[in-house]
Structure formats: C-alpha cells, structure tokens
Amino acid sequence: MTDVRVDLDEMITVDDIAERLGVSVATVRMWRNRTHTEFPEPFKRFGVTMVWRWGDVLRWAGQHGRIRTSTARANYQAAFGSSPAPPAKYPGSQDGTRPDFSKPVDADGAS
C-alpha cells in the first residue's frame, strides 16, 4: 500500500471541489446555497472567486456521504483515519438510486 499524503490546507475552487468529489460544478453550487447541508464557508474571497481549504471540504464531504471518487475516499482515510460515510442516497427513491426521469410515471408512482 502506498502512503497517501494529503495537503489539508491546499486552497481549492468550486471547479476543483467538483472534480475531486466526482460531481458537477452545479452540484457544488447547490450544496453551497442550501443552508441545511452545512457546507463549509469559503476560506477567502478574491473578488468573485472563492477558495476553500481542501481539508474543510473533504471532512464535510466524508461526513455527509458526498465522496464519489476513490481518490477522495483514500484522501479522507489518510487524513482522518476512518472511512467516509457511504454515498448519500437520492431523496425520495425507494432503493437510493436516482430515478429515471425519462420514463413516464402514473399518478400511483408506477412506471
């Protein structure tokens, strides 16, 4: 097993967060704008650009089941000594997976 080194003070942007966690930039922005997710506040603002400490975002993502990549999972384990929470389930889904919105659904919820 290789030693994983994680720079928790590394400054990252919304684009970096999306890439590292395996989600879209729109998803990161949504997390930021929803007060119930407790997404970390930016560490610093440079005009309209905001930056976060990777460690703050990684800790939040691991605690809330928002890690989608094996690299981020390994970073979390190396930094915090435990496994992150399992991926969050899609709200309203019976099995936790994203519904197929391409299929019509009748009033009873059947496809």
Side-chain angles (χ1 to χ4, degrees):
M1 181 173 175
T2 59
D3 185 29
V4 178
R5 297 192 65 192
V6 182
D7 181 359
L8 297 178
D9 289 325
E10 180 182 3
M11 297 293 126
I12 58 173
T13 64
V14 169
D15 291 339
D16 298 326
I17 294 168
E19 182 179 335
R20 291 179 187 203
L21 297 181
V23 298
S24 69
V25 169
T27 296
V28 175
R29 288 188 177 128
M30 179 187 66
W31 291 339
R32 247 198 103 251
N33 293 328
R34 290 188 176 175
T35 56
H36 68 274
T37 64
E38 301 171 3
F39 192 79
E41 287 296 315
F43 175 71
K44 195 153 184 91
R45 295 174 193 263
F46 299 98
V48 296
T49 302
M50 293 175 276
V51 295
W52 287 260
R53 282 190 175 118
W54 174 226
D56 295 342
V57 174
L58 184 61
R59 177 178 282 115
W60 174 87
Q63 291 172 344
H64 290 87
R66 304 298 187 199
I67 294 179
R68 300 283 189 261
T69 67
S70 58
T71 301
R73 202 170 283 289
N75 285 339
Y76 186 91
Q77 288 178 307
F80 305 113
S82 63
S83 294
K89 296 186 177 187
Y90 193 81
S93 170
Q94 297 294 327
D95 63 1
T97 59
R98 185 178 177 90
D100 183 355
F101 293 110
S102 66
K103 295 178 183 176
V105 177
D106 65 21
D108 295 328
S111 300

